[in-house]
Structure formats: structure tokens, C-alpha cells
Amino acid sequence: MTKTELKDFLDSKVIEYNNPNFIESDPIQIPHQFTLKEDIEISGFLTATISWGNRKSIIKNANHMMELLDHSPYDFVMNHSETDLDTLNAFVHRTFNGADFAQFITSLKHIYTNHYGLEALFAKHADTDSLQPAIHQFKKVFFEAEHLQRTQKHISDPMKNSAAKRINMFLRWMVRNDNTGVDFGIWNTLSPAQLSCPLDVHSGNVARKLKLLSRKQNDGKALNELDLALRKLDKTDPVKYDFALFGLGVFEGF
């Protein structure tokens, strides 16, 4: 395919998958349960954190998270007691357990209390054309609170060559306004042009077949390569192509 043909093909797939029907089978349905900004971003962050493995299991366990937070995640984060944290102990999603969950609640309270919330923290450390440095700084601030060493593995660091798929997906949800009701676009201090594609096995494999990516590993270097390729197709909204790459891989077996 020529560059024009490739862009036309991917643009058509964005239209096909970037619509409300996408929500039905995707973890993004969890933050769509809420209307308060802070509830959307906290539920979205927690859901993205456990978004690996079987998608039905992700959605089931993310819903369980919201139940344990009394379906008021922001209120729980800001007003929980030690006894409230004890109720999270039974939670488990793969290697993310109740102790990790409780730590995340503690760290989120630290961010909302001392750093003006998630949006302000990411915006403070963002580059003009990338949020990867902001993810690195976010992890440092997140673990300023007293924490278990084991919990650090649940937040990726792009500066250690991680593709940081789950946080990049969360940032897409918060920053990108697609006008179709899928992504939220509630973080106005950041731009879709700064976003990076949530690179996983599906989007990576499709990107390689389409010659958008040559690196074999799905790591930070691959993400940078894919970012550059997608920005050539649309510099203002490069991660809209996540819908095309993911949809082609998961739903079409491309």
C-alpha cells in the first residue's frame, strides 16, 4: 500500500471501531458508569491498571473494584479509613492483589491532596510532543507515599524502556475527545497530539504487518517508532489509530 492508501484504510477502520458499540466489550465501559470528573479518572486509572489478560475477566474484576469502593471512587479515596482499606484485601486480579489495591488508594489520596489531582500532575511534567516523561514523573510521585515494594511493578516506567501500554490507554481515555462518546476528553490541559499508542500484542502485530513498525519487541523503543509513524498519518490525533490497529487484531484477526 502507498502511504495514501494506508491512511485511507486505517481512517476507515477508525470510523468502524471508534463508536459507542466499542464500549460494550471494552474495559472503558467502567469509567462510563460515572459522571463526576474525579470518579471517571480514578475508575479509569484503576481499570487500566488491571487491563491485561482476558477482557471479560478485566471487566468483571474492575466492576468488583467499583463495588468495593461503594461506587464512589473519589469519595472513597479522599475519606477512607484504615478499616475501609481492610475491605479491599480479598481483591485479586492476576498478580494485582488487595495489598496493591489498598496502596493505590493511599497513593491516589496523596496525589489529590498534595498535587492537585491526576490531570494536574501529568500536565505539569508533559513535554510538548510526548507524555512519556510525565508517566515517569507520575510513578515517582505515586510512590512518594509509604508503600510496598512489590506494588511498584504495577506502574510502568517509559524511562526504563517500557511501552507503558496501560497508562497510555488511560491517558487516551482522559485526553482524547473523539466526539463519538468513547474517549472522554475531560483533560483539557493536555492535547491528543501528545498521546502515545497503547502498544500491546494486537496493535503491535498489526502495525508490523502494515509496515508501521519494524522492532520485534513491544517495548519503549517500539512505541517511539510507532508514534513517529502514526504522527505522519495524523499529527493532531495520532492515537485514533489505536482503534484501527486493535480492532483489526482482535475482531478481524488481521
Side-chain angles (χ1 to χ4, degrees):
M1 277 189 277
T2 66
K3 179 181 176 181
T4 300
E5 290 171 337
L6 176 61
K7 177 174 171 54
D8 289 344
F9 172 67
L10 289 176
D11 283 345
S12 70
K13 290 300 176 181
V14 171
I15 294 170
E16 183 175 347
Y17 291 112
N18 189 185
N19 65 70
N21 292 330
F22 183 84
I23 298 172
E24 297 173 6
S25 62
D26 194 79
I28 200 173
Q29 67 182 258
I30 305 302
H32 272 287
Q33 298 173 9
F34 301 98
T35 55
L36 182 71
K37 180 196 177 196
E38 291 81 5
D39 282 342
I40 293 170
E41 56 196 18
I42 291 172
S43 63
F45 176 69
L46 293 172
T47 298
T49 296
I50 65 165
S51 287
W52 83 99
N54 180 277
R55 292 208 295 161
K56 288 184 178 179
S57 176
I58 294 166
I59 293 167
K60 176 184 176 182
N61 288 333
N63 272 314
H64 186 207
M65 277 182 151
M66 297 308 111
E67 291 170 6
L68 291 169
L69 300 179
D70 300 322
H71 296 285
S72 300
Y74 180 59
D75 180 66
F76 191 101
V77 164
M78 299 307 294
N79 300 303
H80 66 270
S81 65
E82 287 300 316
T83 303
D84 292 327
L85 290 181
D86 290 341
T87 65
L88 309 181
N89 285 338
F91 180 83
V92 61
H93 176 81
R94 298 173 74 96
T95 63
F96 187 92
N97 64 21
D100 299 316
F101 192 6
Q103 177 59 56
F104 268 55
I105 298 303
T106 300
S107 291
L108 284 167
K109 182 174 183 179
H110 167 64
I111 287 170
Y112 281 92
T113 302
N114 301 306
H115 295 275
Y116 308 101
L118 287 167
E119 179 182 4
L121 181 54
F122 278 100
K124 179 180 178 181
H125 298 289
D127 280 358
T128 55
D129 61 351
S130 176
L131 296 183
Q132 302 314 290
I135 296 175
H136 171 71
Q137 294 296 330
F138 167 77
K139 180 170 185 174
K140 290 169 64 174
V141 172
F142 194 82
F143 290 112
E144 286 175 349
E146 186 177 351
H147 64 279
L148 298 171
Q149 189 68 27
R150 59 156 281 127
T151 306
Q152 288 198 23
K153 69 184 178 183
H154 291 296
I155 295 185
S156 300
D157 187 349
M159 299 302 114
K160 294 185 177 179
N161 198 33
S162 171
K165 173 250 181 178
R166 287 169 283 166
I167 298 185
N168 281 314
M169 181 176 70
F170 165 68
L171 292 171
R172 193 203 85 201
W173 293 352
M174 296 300 106
V175 175
R176 186 173 175 271
N177 186 345
D178 57 23
N179 298 312
T180 65
V182 181
D183 290 333
F184 292 90
I186 56 174
W187 285 9
N188 298 318
T189 55
L190 295 167
S191 164
Q194 296 169 284
L195 295 170
S196 292
C197 185
L199 176 60
D200 65 7
V201 63
H202 303 292
S203 57
N205 287 343
V206 173
R208 290 181 186 94
K209 290 177 181 177
L210 294 173
K211 310 298 183 186
L212 292 167
L213 179 61
S214 60
R215 187 170 175 81
K216 294 181 179 179
Q217 301 96 324
N218 291 325
D219 57 10
K221 292 179 181 177
L223 181 65
N224 183 61
E225 181 185 347
L226 182 59
D227 277 351
L228 292 173
L230 296 182
R231 278 164 168 73
K232 290 178 181 177
L233 297 176
D234 189 335
K235 65 180 180 180
T236 62
D237 188 16
V239 300
K240 72 180 183 184
Y241 294 112
D242 180 37
F243 287 96
L245 299 177
F246 184 80
L248 282 164
V250 171
F251 302 119
E252 299 187 36
F254 184 85

